[in-house]
């Protein structure tokens, strides 16, 4: 991995974490109350296959006739297409420890990389 790749990856991770924090501030109360219902047979709204699906409430904003309307839409997703929970998403983000970041910065300053 080049210096650029490392830098890019850590920058991405940092902004992903910032996003997650914004999410918490804006809507964690609502999302905590909402657990996906038990799976049942149905057609997935994303891949259109018949499968065990769960219902998910998604917020939708429509702009029509110059007026914005906000609504909640129920979508059915199979296990594969289901939106990941925040905890799972966070697990996907590569995390650099503080020590790794410091080492990276020090190396970069010294021009070692
Ligand atoms: Zn699907």
């Amino acid at each position: 991995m080049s210096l650029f790749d490392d830098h890019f990856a850590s920058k991405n991770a940092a902004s992903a974490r910032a996003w997650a924090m914004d999410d918490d501030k804006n809507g964690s109360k609502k999302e905590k109350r909402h657990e996906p219902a038990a799976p049942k047979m149905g057609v997935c709204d994303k891949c259109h296959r018949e499968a065990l699906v769960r219902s998910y409430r998604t917020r939708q904003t429509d702009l029509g006739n110059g007026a914005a309307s906000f609504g909640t839409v129920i979508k059915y997703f199979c296990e594969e297409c289901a939106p990941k929970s925040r905890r799972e998403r966070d697990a996907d983000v590569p995390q650099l420890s503080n020590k790794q970041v410091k080492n990276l910065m020090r190396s970069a300053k010294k021009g070692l990389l």
Side-chain angles (χ1 to χ4, degrees):
M1 235 203 264
S2 72
L3 171 62
F4 178 79
D5 286 339
D6 282 347
H7 183 65
F8 195 70
S10 62
K11 224 182 146 185
N12 263 351
S15 62
R17 274 196 294 275
W19 268 106
M21 279 192 272
D22 275 358
D23 271 4
D24 281 344
K25 243 184 288 167
N26 293 334
S28 60
K29 266 186 209 158
K30 268 182 194 168
E31 281 173 36
K32 261 180 209 158
R33 243 187 287 140
H34 168 230
E35 290 293 324
K40 58 176 186 176
M41 281 311 287
V43 177
C44 173
D45 276 328
K46 196 168 177 186
C47 64
H48 303 291
R49 279 182 308 185
E50 206 173 316
L52 272 180
V53 295
R54 288 172 191 268
S55 62
Y56 291 89
R57 243 174 288 179
T58 57
R59 267 159 292 181
Q60 188 169 292
T61 307
D62 286 318
L63 277 174
N65 300 323
S69 66
F70 304 92
T72 307
V73 183
I74 306 283
K75 295 257 184 196
Y76 293 93
F77 295 120
C78 67
E79 293 291 323
E80 271 176 59
C81 302
K84 288 187 173 183
S85 75
R86 185 171 301 132
R87 205 178 305 140
E88 283 173 273
R89 272 204 314 254
D90 280 352
D92 285 343
V93 177
Q95 304 268 345
L96 280 180
S97 72
N98 278 342
K99 202 179 163 194
Q100 280 174 303
V101 172
K102 272 181 200 159
N103 282 341
L104 193 66
M105 296 293 282
R106 202 180 303 138
S107 303
K109 273 186 201 157
K110 285 183 189 167
L112 292 179
L113 286 173

